[in-house]
Amino acid sequence: MRAAIAESDTLRGLLIPRGSCLRGGSPMQVRLWEAETLRVRYSACVLYEQFETPQLFQNSCEFARNQGHLLWSSHVQGMFAARETGHEQVRTYIKALKEALVQEAEMAAAAQ
């Protein structure tokens, strides 16, 4: 699933129309609001969710983090967002990891 994580310079210059008057604490409130909007950034990303096992989620999330692609993660929801530029690398890793986990499970079942 492709998504966007916020990044914002788009609201700069839209704060106070010329010729308008602000009362009392309003200029401070506008500055605080602007500071809050400037800490958010939009980045093209891919959302990874619905992992078969917690181990698959944790390993995939850690791989994305180590490669510098991780933008956001939620261990509670079992999902993470990675940079779109790293999608192929993360996807390839997840496929290989799934195959390895399946082989591990088959070997464990055969040993019993």
Side-chain angles (χ1 to χ4, degrees):
M1 172 197 236
R2 300 214 185 266
I5 300 287
E7 175 174 29
S8 74
D9 283 333
T10 56
L11 297 177
R12 212 181 275 235
L14 298 177
L15 297 177
I16 305 171
R18 288 190 177 194
S20 65
C21 292
L22 296 174
R23 286 185 247 151
S26 294
M28 178 55 80
Q29 290 171 336
V30 170
R31 276 188 291 252
L32 291 172
W33 176 80
E34 181 183 26
E36 180 68 18
T37 62
L38 295 178
R39 69 181 191 92
V40 178
R41 295 197 170 124
Y42 289 102
S43 297
C45 67
V46 177
L47 181 65
Y48 297 89
E49 57 186 343
Q50 299 179 351
F51 290 89
E52 286 85 357
T53 66
Q55 181 185 9
L56 181 61
F57 166 74
Q58 291 168 354
N59 291 347
S60 301
C61 189
E62 189 64 30
F63 175 80
R65 179 180 290 110
N66 291 340
Q67 298 301 313
H69 301 306
L70 185 68
L71 293 172
W72 170 85
S73 67
S74 171
H75 292 279
V76 173
Q77 296 175 333
M79 61 175 65
F80 69 89
R83 296 182 195 284
E84 192 172 43
T85 55
H87 172 59
E88 287 302 318
Q89 191 177 11
V90 173
R91 189 180 83 168
T92 302
Y93 176 80
I94 291 172
K95 282 184 178 182
L97 186 57
K98 279 183 185 181
E99 290 173 10
L101 291 173
V102 166
Q103 287 176 356
E104 247 181 58
E106 289 173 353
M107 288 174 51
Q112 290 179 355

